[in-house]
Amino acid sequence: MSDWTPDKIATALWLDASDAATVTLSSSSVTTWADKSGNGIDVAQGTSGNRPTLVAADQNALDVISFDGSNDLLFASSVEL
């Protein structure tokens, strides 16, 4: 029996902070987070002060993306669902 993952269902967007290959950083700030669903709905933030941060091994030893609750945002350039 294999572990369940979102690729076993039809997902519109799949963001996985624990997959380092999908997160592009500038220092510890997230510039781009790639969609793993196959739909190409990557999210990004061009303004350095509005980027969330990557926190390594934070939740069950997995990386997480931390938003400050104030101005951290990631945007998809185009979405067709």
Side-chain angles (χ1 to χ4, degrees), residues 22-53:
T22 67
V23 181
T24 304
L25 300 173
S26 174
S27 296
S28 63
S29 297
V30 177
T31 59
T32 306
W33 196 357
D35 175 22
K36 291 177 64 171
S37 73
N39 295 319
I41 307 172
D42 300 342
V43 294
Q45 177 55 262
T47 304
S48 61
N50 294 350
R51 293 177 182 152
T53 56

Side-chain angles (χ1 to χ4, degrees), residues 45-71:
Q45 177 55 262
T47 304
S48 61
N50 294 350
R51 293 177 182 152
T53 56
L54 178 76
V55 182
D58 187 62
Q59 182 70 36
N60 297 325
L62 299 173
D63 295 349
V64 299
I65 306 296
S66 178
F67 294 79
D68 67 7
S70 173
N71 64 350

Side-chain angles (χ1 to χ4, degrees), residues 1-5 7-8:
M1 180 176 192
S2 64
D3 292 333
W4 183 87
T5 61
D7 67 343
K8 298 201 185 325

